[in-house]
């Protein structure tokens, strides 16, 4: 049987099997045309089987999760793809999301205002915690000069709340130092890097902290204080 006759017979069989429209798409995917010389039946069968296998694998293939790119806001030199970006807004929500991620054995990364350079705040393929939503300013003890804040709280937010709550007072409490060069930095980041300002007589930020609660990567809560 000639090559053209072989093509005609097998094309008819394929058309009846998968339908003319799908057969046309299959032929187009194989780089074939409706009139195309085929040397032997075996060669054409191999092409059809390969094409069907290709079509099945393409139809059954599952796309992986699309990654989200995060970056620092200063240098913009640390683009990092992460699996998800979560923004917990409370202590309980942070703990719940962390334990869920640990249950699924997922890698974690944490950032606040993303001013850190060097990619230490990010991790490729991790679940990324954006703490800027966890930014509450808690109770202010005017007698002791202590205020409770969440890790995502920034300096402008804290100073604005101090001004609002102490409006009209003769000697309001204020902050003693902060990083220079930028304002929208989180207090959680300031604590993590033990920042310092320009006051040469002041110790780094740890001197200004009375206590804090540490949430470990294992989901354990540890209270830390000077007592």
């Amino acid at each position: 049987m000639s090559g053209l006759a072989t093509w005609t017979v097998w094309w008819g069989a394929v058309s009846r099997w998968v339908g003319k429209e799908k057969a046309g798409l299959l032929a187009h995917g194989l780089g074939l045309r409706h009139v195309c010389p085929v040397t032997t039946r075996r060669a054409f069968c191999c092409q059809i089987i390969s094409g069907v296998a290709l079509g099945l694998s393409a139809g059954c293939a599952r796309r992986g999760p699309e990654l989200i790119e995060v970056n620092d806001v200063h240098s913009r030199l640390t683009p990092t793809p992460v699996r998800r970006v979560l923004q917990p807004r409370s202590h309980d929500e942070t703990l719940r999301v962390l334990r869920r991620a640990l249950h699924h054995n997922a890698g974690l990364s944490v950032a606040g205002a993303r001013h850190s350079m060097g990619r230490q705040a990010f991790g490729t393929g991790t679940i990324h915690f954006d703490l800027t939503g966890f930014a509450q300013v808690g109770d202010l003890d005017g007698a002791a000069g202590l205020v409770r804040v969440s890790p995502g709280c920034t300096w402008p937010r804290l100073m604005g709340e101090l001004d609002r709550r102490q409006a009209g007072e003769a000697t309001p409490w204020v902050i003693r130092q902060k990083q220079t060069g930028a304002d929208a930095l989180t207090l959680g980041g300031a604590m993590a890097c033990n920042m310092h300002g320009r006051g040469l007589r002041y110790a780094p930020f740890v001197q200004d902290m009375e206590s804090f609660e540490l949430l470990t990567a294992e989901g354990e809560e540890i209270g830390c204080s000077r007592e």
Side-chain angles (χ1 to χ4, degrees):
M1 184 181 291
S2 70
L4 182 58
T6 302
W7 163 256
T8 303
V9 172
W10 282 94
W11 179 255
V14 171
S15 298
R16 288 192 298 274
W17 179 34
V18 300
K20 290 185 178 180
E21 182 178 355
K22 292 183 179 179
L25 292 174
L26 177 61
H28 178 73
L30 292 172
L32 304 177
R33 296 292 182 269
H34 286 275
V35 179
C36 155
V38 179
T39 54
T40 65
R41 179 181 299 182
R42 179 182 298 274
F44 184 71
C45 283
C46 288
Q47 287 180 315
I48 292 298
I49 292 172
S50 299
V52 172
L54 179 63
L56 291 176
S57 64
C60 297
R62 297 181 179 179
R63 295 181 59 187
E66 294 184 3
L67 300 180
I68 302 170
E69 183 179 282
V70 293
N71 205 343
D72 72 271
V73 301
H74 272 313
S75 70
R76 306 294 298 173
L77 294 176
T78 59
T80 306
V82 298
R83 288 171 55 185
R84 294 184 65 188
V85 176
L86 303 178
Q87 193 178 60
R89 298 182 178 275
S90 68
H91 173 274
D92 292 342
E93 187 177 347
T94 301
L95 184 60
R96 183 170 59 253
V97 172
L98 173 61
R99 288 176 174 170
R100 187 183 307 161
L102 292 173
H103 177 73
H104 292 285
N105 197 30
L108 304 175
S109 59
V110 183
R114 301 185 184 178
H115 284 265
S116 298
M117 293 180 285
R119 197 172 287 183
Q120 64 266 30
F122 310 128
T124 300
T126 60
I127 294 177
H128 184 70
F129 277 32
D130 177 355
L131 294 183
T132 55
F134 189 9
Q136 295 81 2
V137 178
D139 296 334
L140 170 64
D141 185 341
L146 297 175
V147 62
R148 185 177 182 86
V149 298
S150 300
C153 180
T154 61
W155 292 109
R157 181 177 179 83
L158 172 60
M159 291 186 287
E161 277 296 301
L162 292 177
D163 287 344
R164 185 182 67 82
R165 297 183 191 185
Q166 302 176 99
E169 294 190 13
T171 56
W173 291 100
V174 297
I175 65 171
R176 176 165 58 174
Q177 63 175 330
K178 61 172 288 294
Q179 303 98 311
T180 59
D183 292 326
L185 307 170
T186 63
L187 274 75
M191 186 191 74
C193 69
N194 196 20
M195 71 85 184
H196 64 84
R198 289 183 176 177
L200 298 181
R201 293 185 178 182
Y202 299 148
F205 188 51
V206 66
Q207 182 180 356
D208 301 330
M209 290 186 293
E210 187 69 18
S211 65
F212 62 90
E213 295 175 0
L214 177 67
L215 183 61
T216 70
E218 291 75 29
E220 180 184 2
E221 299 178 82
I222 301 176
C224 305
S225 71
R226 298 185 181 277
E227 298 179 358

